[in-house]
Amino acid sequence: MTRSMMRLFSSSPIYTTSRLGRISTTRHHLPAAATPPKRRARPPLPSLLVIRAAMSSSSSSLDATAAVPFEKPRTVVKKLLAESQPEGDGATVRRSIGRPELRNLDPFLMLDEFSVSKPAGFPDHPHRGFETVTYMLDGAFTHQDFAGHKGTIRTGDVQWMTAGRGIVHSEMPAADGVQKGLQLWINLSSKDKMIEPRYQELQSKDISHAEKDGVEVKIIAGEAFGVRSPVYTRTPTMYMDFTMQPGSQLHQPIPEGWNAFVYIIDGEGVFGREKASPVTAHHCLVLGPGDGLSLWNKSGKPLRFALVGGQPLNEPVVQHGPFVMNTRAEIQQAMEDYYYGRNGFEKARHWSSAA
């Protein structure tokens, strides 16, 4: 790419938005002596175990034995408060994964809790090489792309978008007031980065859910209580939205070898160890290795959080804003493809959304 072309490219409104302009090109390698392990078959997610908090001292010893039913219980190894920052066109997000303190958590690239009111939003911008998962907590967002796809997701709905070889789209508020949600970026393996884009969209009523002993779970991806989400995860992933009533406790299996984290949406809870200090809303908790997570709601209010886990890809990551590939050459190719409108971006040069 020539210098003049780079100047033209950087003057594009897409590349002057904070999402692209603020993130520098980064590269993450495996250790020099390491050989990337072969991808393992996806392990089945064990059934969810929920135990109601003991209400009397006579049963506390039994509950203490059952309270951690894991051979290798996971604990919190990193805690990060997602602080508000500007993003897109006048929008505000709380970013946890994707900040300098937590650049990524293989296979996860970014997690934003967004809070947006009209006329702010995320106007036309490209993606290549990964997936975005948008989960509406409150309000509504309208999405449209250069292939003619358009839709609105509302409170409790999910859009799972596989950008693959290329998408240009907009994401804008569709209702008055503040629209809130979570957006998670999930990396794709090198063999999947150039697949055709696809969507999986679920309305709230169609999302699998279960409830037991004061704990409710919405299963966006994966399985709990023997109930499985219909969402297909090309990169093996679990994504669950839990609400725990006061006095309840939860013991959630997580496949060994997967990276996992918790994002607290509302309330406060005790995670990993029963004697640990409570953690409050807007914190991201990275979990250490093990086969499951135990947690307790010892407060007087409901606790709501997302639990997310995924099988690491163990591949180099080179990211420039909305392009995530394995090498710098592939990033340069993505930028040229977008600029010239080729290799998946053919419709980009003559399309703009109604945003």
Side-chain angles (χ1 to χ4, degrees), residues 42-354:
R42 185 180 312 189
L45 294 180
S47 298
L48 181 69
L49 173 62
V50 179
I51 304 176
R52 187 70 176 172
M55 299 302 293
S56 67
S57 58
S58 61
S59 62
S60 61
S61 60
L62 291 176
D63 286 343
T65 302
V68 184
F70 306 117
E71 292 184 6
K72 302 175 183 178
R74 291 184 182 239
T75 59
V76 176
V77 297
K78 188 178 184 69
K79 180 175 73 172
L80 179 66
L81 176 63
E83 298 178 349
S84 295
Q85 64 182 62
E87 184 56 281
D89 185 2
T92 300
V93 303
R94 289 180 176 268
R95 180 163 299 162
S96 48
I97 299 173
R99 286 171 49 180
E101 302 94 320
L102 186 59
R103 178 57 65 192
N104 58 45
L105 183 67
D106 189 13
F108 307 113
L109 302 164
M110 191 191 79
L111 177 68
D112 280 353
E113 178 185 2
F114 59 85
S115 180
V116 185
S117 301
K118 293 179 179 179
F122 308 99
D124 305 4
H125 59 279
H127 293 296
R128 174 180 279 183
F130 61 99
E131 299 181 297
T132 67
V133 184
T134 306
Y135 181 38
M136 290 303 301
L137 301 176
D138 188 32
F141 248 60
T142 293
H143 162 277
Q144 54 183 310
D145 70 23
F146 68 174
H149 182 273
K150 183 177 181 180
T152 299
I153 54 174
R154 305 182 187 280
T155 302
D157 296 349
V158 173
Q159 183 199 72
W160 198 296
M161 183 186 80
T162 303
R165 65 200 301 254
I167 279 285
V168 179
H169 73 159
S170 65
E171 301 157 288
M172 301 297 289
D176 294 330
V178 180
Q179 322 302 307
K180 298 180 180 180
L182 299 176
Q183 186 168 97
L184 176 69
W185 289 14
I186 306 175
N187 201 8
L188 288 170
S189 66
S190 56
K191 67 180 178 62
D192 292 330
K193 286 186 177 296
M194 295 297 286
I195 61 175
E196 291 296 324
R198 67 190 298 262
Y199 293 90
Q200 299 175 86
E201 294 179 332
L202 290 176
Q203 294 184 351
S204 179
K205 64 182 179 63
D206 298 320
I207 294 176
S208 304
H209 68 279
E211 185 174 0
K212 185 177 181 180
D213 295 337
V215 178
E216 180 184 0
V217 57
K218 298 178 181 179
I219 309 156
I220 297 168
E223 182 178 346
F225 285 121
V227 179
R228 174 171 290 278
S229 166
V231 169
Y232 170 70
T233 60
R234 190 171 294 274
T235 299
T237 304
M238 59 183 290
Y239 188 160
M240 301 174 184
D241 174 7
F242 284 100
T243 299
M244 298 178 61
Q245 296 303 315
S248 62
Q249 60 179 272
L250 167 68
H251 306 282
Q252 171 61 46
I254 302 170
E256 281 198 75
W258 284 25
N259 286 329
F261 67 90
V262 166
Y263 187 78
I264 304 174
I265 299 168
D266 194 26
E268 66 175 39
V270 176
F271 296 83
R273 294 181 295 106
E274 189 171 5
K275 294 184 179 180
S277 299
V279 187
T280 55
H282 312 302
H283 278 90
C284 180
L285 308 178
V286 178
L287 304 178
D291 57 354
L293 173 67
S294 295
L295 54 144
W296 298 261
N297 182 0
K298 298 183 178 183
S299 74
K301 298 180 180 180
L303 163 66
R304 186 182 184 187
F305 63 93
L307 174 62
V308 183
Q311 185 175 11
L313 298 176
N314 295 310
E315 295 181 358
V317 175
V318 183
Q319 178 175 357
H320 184 71
F323 301 140
V324 183
M325 304 300 288
N326 298 109
T327 68
R328 293 180 64 88
E330 290 172 339
I331 289 292
Q332 180 170 324
Q333 185 65 56
M335 295 173 71
E336 292 181 3
D337 288 345
Y338 174 63
Y339 180 83
Y340 287 116
R342 64 192 185 193
N343 293 332
F345 289 111
E346 285 81 0
K347 299 178 181 179
R349 298 186 69 180
H350 305 290
W351 179 84
S352 63
S353 71

